[in-house]
Amino acid sequence: MIFKDHHIISMTSFSKDMIDHILETAEKMEPIALGKQKSDLLSGKVLAVLFFEPSTRTRMSFETAMYRLGGDVLNLGSVDASSIAKGETLADTIRVVDSYADAIVLRHPREGAAFLASEFSTVPILNAGDGAGHHPTQTLLDLYTIKRQSHLDGLKIALAGDLKYGRTVHSLCYALSLYGAQITMISPPELRMPEEIINDLENRGAKVTEVESIEEAIGEVDVLYMTRIQKERFPDPAEYQKVANRLKITTDLLKDAKQELRIMHPLPRVNEIHPDVDDTVHACYFKQAFYGVPVRMALVALVLGAIE
Amino acid sequence: MIFKDHHIISMTSFSKDMIDHILETAEKMEPIALGKQKSDLLSGKVLAVLFFEPSTRTRMSFETAMYRLGGDVLNLGSVDASSIAKGETLADTIRVVDSYADAIVLRHPREGAAFLASEFSTVPILNAGDGAGHHPTQTLLDLYTIKRQSHLDGLKIALAGDLKYGRTVHSLCYALSLYGAQITMISPPELRMPEEIINDLENRGAKVTEVESIEEAIGEVDVLYMTRIQKERFPDPAEYQKVANRLKITTDLLKDAKQELRIMHPLPRVNEIHPDVDDTVHACYFKQAFYGVPVRMALVALVLGAIE
Amino acid sequence: MIFKDHHIISMTSFSKDMIDHILETAEKMEPIALGKQKSDLLSGKVLAVLFFEPSTRTRMSFETAMYRLGGDVLNLGSVDASSIAKGETLADTIRVVDSYADAIVLRHPREGAAFLASEFSTVPILNAGDGAGHHPTQTLLDLYTIKRQSHLDGLKIALAGDLKYGRTVHSLCYALSLYGAQITMISPPELRMPEEIINDLENRGAKVTEVESIEEAIGEVDVLYMTRIQKERFPDPAEYQKVANRLKITTDLLKDAKQELRIMHPLPRVNEIHPDVDDTVHACYFKQAFYGVPVRMALVALVLGAIE
């Protein structure tokens, strides 16, 4: 399987075999990601990180992935302090940076930015989120978390929160449909998963159920994936508060859960998960954040052709 | 003496033996800090620097310490460009970053932040200043400067400036009391060292004198430690100006000093030390800034268990 | 030829022999810059980059130059987040940073800042632009581009745009006069090359012609060097627009050009070069941006004494 020189723009370009290969590669990277094993696989290589939007976790985990593999990171820095302030187009920025670095991680507020960048770049583009578009490395680390902390085959998963606008949730569902997952959608009526997506998922082999409260699903599932509900989606703050209160995880709620239940969250969380939950065996979100490192190590090493 | 996996939060947790061990370790690091000797002691290791407040010297000297030892640095970057802007708690940030890095340097405006971070972190926290709280690496580099450019045992030192609010000065005095120092406090009445601290210092073995002008002490001391007086402390700008003018070092003032006198300052200075003083044998503040590198190399290498 | 410990402040201190030596050294660096060859020539070395003004290309190419040679980069970061916000002088900043790093790259809005820094620094200063002053590494990469993509001896070059205020253009012309170039100046009357400079250039061996449109020169020259015209130079926006429209490159304009014509631009471009030109054999500006890497590798390695 050849990933060398490929752009990583969206999950839609990945077959199940390709995903499995990335996850297996990530697993080999884990001891290095944990700092238990040294590597100079990418020594002499330079990864450019161009973040046109805030992000701690994604940027830092890409950077640490590169460092753990012996490589270096070239950071665009804050956009204000760059040529972009002088009105340079993204295409021009990419055509300069691609001659400084061996691969480019791009985060951009505009949907389609990563694809546009890939049209101009002579080095692999890794999409680290393009607005309402795609964020494939998040989906891959979510899948990796499920694989490592639960199981991908025969998975029963519930997704809770904003299922209408949450791009990572859509992307994750498509990927899970490849594994025939049983997916329970938990959301307030205003933020339901779009009908077309549900149809798509069912056509691809997923089983989909919809409920309105976490209680209805908590006893059945292997994984509960929580997401943040953005206040901005609601014209009325009182309405937001009502919805937000309903979709919260507490230790009390977890008394009906299976021992094996794993709770995931892309972070940062605001109030969706009570801090008491952190100390239970179910909490899995900080582990999930860590798993971004081996997954991104795998991706960078694969597109640079350092491994196959 | 085992520092591995220890947090460095405040000077109060260090015995004299521990301080001596750190200073001796720093001395071994000096040739590497000067770039005269290469090292890969920390190769493959990642140090995260989380600065929630401006700092040039502290951050850069930690970073260069890491680079000189062959390690890498993961920078949170400006706080605006991070998840903290999305309302993440410090505890959550720490629990993510501790899985990306082998140790975390934290600077935070809130007193107690470093201790809080240490409660959640699985890797060593190095406190690089927490508001009105502690700044132990500054104290250690001050002690190292005194050791290298003067002597710790039987030291006669004068401290001048804001002795009321200056946290680094308090911390330094406590440490010096372990070595039985004779300490002369020089400050305007408004900014005197608090009575309780003076009592504490005397109980621990220091001899303390108080005067109001540098002239009264300059002939006697081995070290004169200047600090910045912050304008914000004075409701009346004229009052500030009067005080600031009185606590200034000029070459003229130095004609009564011993040849061995060393002048220290944590920097940045504003007007406390006239530039002409820079060319005298007494000036020691830039050397002091440099000494931050070997001291921080020692601390990072110790808490990572790369040396004992 | 000994560059070790030399500051790189302005082109005026370079003889033709010195320039030739830098360009030859850059040529040896090219395979490493392209990532085709690994190097640890500068391993253990630290380069500080102090950018008091925005810049993508210059900063990133210095950083990548350092990484490709196995060295590390210490970044001052945004000026707001540094001691400079506390009122520290440039001299003091330099005297601290020179003890953290083996060389310092400085970009500063104030003319003469790099020279001032060199007066205080114990390590080499590399001027990366000081306001209306100098930007020698840009000139060197321009010369390198001409050498690699065209030829320096017997060169016919046209410079178009703002020739009055453009510091890089002045500096490039002086350097080209050492090679006896035939220089055609293309600018609106308001932005003509200053008379004294033209006299200087002719005294040094250059042949200078002045015209007002690109059409008059395009058929003759080996290199066309475009520059940005800054709106701020014109009190009247309509006047700016008129001038800007006249000095634009389109594929249509290029039908009279020699096959060997190379178009250069320091980037970022705004509207001076139509995107269609990018696909012609003449476009050379992205290559030019890349050439910043080998040239800066050569400079850093030379001043650090890693090569001679």
Side-chain angles (χ1 to χ4, degrees):
Chain A
M1 204 164 304
I2 300 299
F3 281 90
K4 188 169 185 307
D5 298 332
H6 277 228
H7 303 292
I8 308 288
I9 304 301
S10 97
M11 286 304 294
T12 55
S13 57
F14 290 125
S15 67
K16 185 166 176 296
D17 278 358
M18 291 168 89
I19 294 171
D20 285 337
H21 185 65
I22 293 168
L23 303 186
E24 279 156 28
T25 307
E27 209 154 346
K28 287 177 202 152
M29 294 292 180
E30 226 186 277
I32 306 168
L34 287 165
K36 290 182 178 161
Q37 200 181 301
K38 275 214 252 182
S39 166
D40 60 358
L41 190 67
L42 300 183
S43 99
K45 298 290 182 190
V46 176
L47 180 72
V49 295
L50 308 188
F51 275 66
F52 292 82
E53 244 193 4
S55 163
T56 314
R57 242 165 309 282
T58 306
R59 180 181 57 78
M60 286 183 111
S61 63
F62 263 115
E63 294 195 6
T64 215
M66 198 64 189
Y67 293 140
R68 294 288 194 197
L69 292 174
D72 284 299
V73 175
L74 190 62
N75 201 321
L76 175 70
S78 90
V79 173
D80 290 349
S82 80
S83 271
I84 291 81
K86 296 186 195 162
E88 185 169 66
T89 64
L90 179 61
D92 275 14
T93 300
I94 292 293
R95 276 183 290 191
V96 170
V97 175
D98 75 359
S99 75
Y100 297 164
D102 299 297
I104 297 173
V105 178
L106 179 71
R107 168 91 149 221
H108 201 283
R110 214 168 55 237
E111 193 170 347
F115 179 73
L116 178 85
S118 74
E119 298 276 280
F120 289 96
S121 178
T122 58
V123 302
I125 298 288
L126 295 138
N127 183 5
D130 58 341
H134 298 277
H135 191 6
T137 68
Q138 177 71 44
T139 303
L140 287 164
L141 80 86
D142 289 344
L143 292 171
Y144 186 71
T145 305
I146 294 168
K147 187 185 180 196
R148 294 283 285 115
Q149 296 289 319
S150 185
H151 49 88
L152 277 167
D153 293 309
L155 177 74
K156 292 183 188 175
I157 187 170
L159 300 144
D162 173 0
L163 306 184
K164 186 170 179 188
Y165 300 102
R167 65 176 170 189
T168 54
V169 162
H170 299 170
S171 181
L172 178 61
C173 285
Y174 278 114
L176 287 172
S177 70
L178 298 173
Y179 294 86
Q182 296 186 34
I183 308 176
T184 306
M185 310 287 186
I186 311 172
S187 66
E190 304 88 322
L191 296 173
R192 282 182 57 200
M193 178 70 72
E195 199 69 44
E196 323 84 76
I197 298 185
I198 291 181
N199 291 338
D200 271 8
L201 295 174
E202 288 174 336
N203 290 337
R204 283 156 185 250
K207 286 194 193 121
V208 181
T209 326
E210 285 186 276
V211 300
E212 279 191 33
S213 74
I214 298 175
E215 285 84 348
E216 296 169 67
I218 194 77
E220 303 297 322
V221 294
D222 306 309
V223 171
L224 171 57
Y225 196 108
M226 295 295 294
T227 64
R228 211 164 59 246
I229 293 182
Q230 296 182 321
K231 221 181 233 170
E232 309 87 83
R233 303 287 184 213
F234 294 83
D236 178 356
E239 188 59 25
Y240 161 75
Q241 207 48 61
K242 218 177 74 190
V243 164
N245 283 337
R246 228 183 322 141
L247 290 176
K248 251 184 197 165
I249 308 229
T250 58
T251 46
D252 196 49
L253 195 76
L254 289 171
K255 60 182 194 306
D256 297 327
K258 298 201 271 186
Q259 175 70 9
E260 300 76 31
L261 171 73
R262 293 290 170 270
I263 301 169
M264 294 172 63
H265 191 294
L267 303 180
R269 61 173 160 177
V270 183
N271 290 310
E272 304 86 33
I273 303 176
H274 192 280
D276 285 350
V277 175
D278 300 355
D279 302 321
T280 69
V281 293
H282 308 299
C284 188
Y285 23 95
F286 295 116
K287 199 93 196 169
Q288 181 185 1
F290 161 69
Y291 285 142
V293 182
V295 167
R296 286 168 177 131
M297 289 166 93
L299 286 169
V300 175
L302 285 166
V303 300
L304 290 181
I307 48 173
E308 276 199 3
Chain B
M1 203 164 305
I2 300 301
F3 281 90
K4 188 172 185 307
D5 297 334
H6 277 227
H7 303 291
I8 308 287
I9 304 301
S10 96
M11 285 304 295
T12 55
S13 56
F14 290 124
S15 66
K16 185 166 175 299
D17 277 0
M18 291 167 89
I19 294 171
D20 285 336
H21 185 65
I22 294 167
L23 302 186
E24 280 155 28
T25 307
E27 210 154 346
K28 288 177 201 151
M29 294 292 180
E30 227 185 277
I32 305 167
L34 287 164
K36 289 182 178 163
Q37 202 180 297
K38 276 215 254 181
S39 168
D40 59 357
L41 189 67
L42 300 183
S43 100
K45 298 289 182 190
V46 176
L47 179 72
V49 295
L50 308 189
F51 275 65
F52 292 82
E53 245 193 4
S55 164
T56 315
R57 242 166 307 282
T58 306
R59 180 180 58 77
M60 286 184 112
S61 62
F62 263 115
E63 294 194 6
T64 214
M66 198 65 189
Y67 294 139
R68 294 289 195 197
L69 292 173
D72 284 300
V73 175
L74 190 60
N75 200 321
L76 175 69
S78 90
V79 173
D80 291 351
S82 78
S83 272
I84 291 81
K86 295 186 196 163
E88 185 170 65
T89 64
L90 179 61
D92 276 14
T93 301
I94 292 293
R95 277 184 289 193
V96 170
V97 175
D98 76 358
S99 75
Y100 297 164
D102 299 297
I104 298 173
V105 179
L106 179 70
R107 170 92 148 218
H108 201 282
R110 213 168 57 240
E111 193 170 347
F115 179 73
L116 178 85
S118 74
E119 298 276 280
F120 289 97
S121 178
T122 59
V123 302
I125 298 289
L126 295 139
N127 183 5
D130 58 342
H134 297 277
H135 191 7
T137 68
Q138 177 70 45
T139 303
L140 287 164
L141 80 86
D142 289 343
L143 292 171
Y144 186 71
T145 305
I146 294 169
K147 186 185 179 195
R148 294 283 284 114
Q149 297 288 319
S150 184
H151 49 88
L152 277 168
D153 293 309
L155 177 73
K156 292 182 187 175
I157 187 171
L159 300 143
D162 174 0
L163 306 185
K164 186 170 178 187
Y165 300 102
R167 66 178 170 187
T168 55
V169 163
H170 300 171
S171 181
L172 179 60
C173 286
Y174 277 115
L176 287 173
S177 70
L178 299 173
Y179 295 87
Q182 294 185 35
I183 308 175
T184 306
M185 310 289 187
I186 310 172
S187 66
E190 304 89 324
L191 296 173
R192 283 183 56 201
M193 177 72 70
E195 199 68 45
E196 324 83 75
I197 297 186
I198 292 182
N199 291 337
D200 271 8
L201 294 175
E202 287 174 336
N203 290 337
R204 283 156 185 251
K207 286 192 194 125
V208 181
T209 326
E210 285 185 276
V211 299
E212 278 191 35
S213 74
I214 298 175
E215 284 84 348
E216 297 169 66
I218 194 77
E220 303 296 321
V221 293
D222 306 310
V223 170
L224 171 58
Y225 196 108
M226 296 295 295
T227 64
R228 211 166 58 248
I229 292 182
Q230 296 183 321
K231 221 181 234 172
E232 308 87 84
R233 303 288 184 211
F234 294 84
D236 178 355
E239 188 58 25
Y240 162 74
Q241 209 46 63
K242 218 176 74 191
V243 164
N245 283 336
R246 228 185 319 142
L247 291 176
K248 252 186 199 164
I249 307 229
T250 58
T251 47
D252 196 48
L253 196 76
L254 290 171
K255 62 181 191 305
D256 296 327
K258 298 199 273 188
Q259 176 70 8
E260 300 77 30
L261 171 73
R262 292 292 171 268
I263 301 168
M264 294 171 63
H265 191 295
L267 302 181
R269 63 174 159 176
V270 183
N271 289 311
E272 305 86 34
I273 303 176
H274 191 281
D276 284 351
V277 176
D278 301 356
D279 300 321
T280 69
V281 292
H282 309 298
C284 188
Y285 23 95
F286 295 116
K287 199 93 196 167
Q288 181 185 0
F290 161 69
Y291 285 142
V293 182
V295 167
R296 286 167 178 132
M297 288 167 94
L299 286 169
V300 175
L302 284 166
V303 300
L304 290 180
I307 47 173
E308 278 200 1
Chain C
M1 202 162 306
I2 301 301
F3 281 91
K4 188 171 184 308
D5 298 333
H6 277 228
H7 303 292
I8 308 288
I9 305 300
S10 97
M11 285 305 293
T12 55
S13 57
F14 290 124
S15 67
K16 184 166 177 297
D17 277 0
M18 290 167 89
I19 294 172
D20 284 337
H21 185 64
I22 294 167
L23 302 187
E24 279 156 28
T25 306
E27 209 154 346
K28 287 177 202 150
M29 293 291 179
E30 227 186 276
I32 306 168
L34 286 164
K36 289 182 179 163
Q37 201 181 299
K38 275 215 254 181
S39 167
D40 60 359
L41 190 67
L42 299 184
S43 100
K45 299 289 182 190
V46 175
L47 179 72
V49 296
L50 308 188
F51 275 65
F52 292 82
E53 245 193 5
S55 164
T56 315
R57 245 164 306 281
T58 306
R59 179 180 60 76
M60 287 183 112
S61 62
F62 263 115
E63 294 195 5
T64 215
M66 198 65 189
Y67 294 139
R68 295 287 195 198
L69 292 173
D72 283 300
V73 176
L74 189 62
N75 200 320
L76 175 69
S78 90
V79 173
D80 290 350
S82 79
S83 272
I84 291 79
K86 296 185 195 164
E88 185 169 66
T89 64
L90 179 61
D92 275 15
T93 301
I94 293 293
R95 277 184 289 193
V96 170
V97 175
D98 76 359
S99 74
Y100 297 163
D102 298 298
I104 298 173
V105 178
L106 179 71
R107 169 90 149 220
H108 201 282
R110 213 167 58 237
E111 193 170 347
F115 180 72
L116 178 85
S118 74
E119 298 276 280
F120 288 97
S121 178
T122 58
V123 302
I125 299 288
L126 296 139
N127 184 5
D130 57 342
H134 298 278
H135 192 5
T137 67
Q138 178 70 45
T139 303
L140 287 163
L141 82 85
D142 289 343
L143 293 171
Y144 186 72
T145 305
I146 294 168
K147 186 185 180 196
R148 294 283 285 115
Q149 297 289 319
S150 185
H151 49 88
L152 277 167
D153 293 309
L155 177 73
K156 294 182 187 174
I157 187 171
L159 299 143
D162 173 0
L163 305 185
K164 185 171 181 187
Y165 300 102
R167 65 178 170 187
T168 53
V169 163
H170 299 172
S171 181
L172 178 60
C173 285
Y174 278 115
L176 287 173
S177 70
L178 299 173
Y179 295 86
Q182 295 186 36
I183 308 175
T184 306
M185 309 289 186
I186 312 172
S187 66
E190 305 89 323
L191 296 174
R192 283 182 56 200
M193 178 71 69
E195 200 67 45
E196 325 83 74
I197 297 185
I198 292 182
N199 291 338
D200 271 8
L201 294 175
E202 287 174 337
N203 289 336
R204 285 156 184 251
K207 288 195 193 120
V208 180
T209 325
E210 286 185 276
V211 300
E212 278 191 35
S213 74
I214 297 175
E215 284 84 349
E216 296 169 66
I218 194 76
E220 303 296 322
V221 293
D222 306 309
V223 171
L224 172 57
Y225 196 109
M226 295 295 294
T227 65
R228 211 165 57 246
I229 293 182
Q230 296 181 320
K231 222 182 232 170
E232 308 87 85
R233 303 286 184 216
F234 294 84
D236 179 355
E239 187 58 25
Y240 161 75
Q241 208 47 61
K242 218 176 73 191
V243 165
N245 283 337
R246 229 186 318 144
L247 291 176
K248 254 185 197 167
I249 308 231
T250 58
T251 47
D252 196 50
L253 196 75
L254 290 171
K255 61 182 191 306
D256 297 327
K258 298 200 272 187
Q259 175 72 7
E260 300 77 30
L261 171 74
R262 292 292 170 268
I263 301 169
M264 294 171 63
H265 191 294
L267 302 180
R269 62 172 160 178
V270 183
N271 289 311
E272 305 86 34
I273 303 176
H274 192 280
D276 285 351
V277 176
D278 301 355
D279 301 321
T280 69
V281 292
H282 308 298
C284 189
Y285 23 94
F286 294 117
K287 199 91 196 171
Q288 181 185 1
F290 161 69
Y291 285 142
V293 182
V295 166
R296 285 166 179 132
M297 289 166 93
L299 286 169
V300 174
L302 285 166
V303 300
L304 290 181
I307 47 172
E308 276 198 4

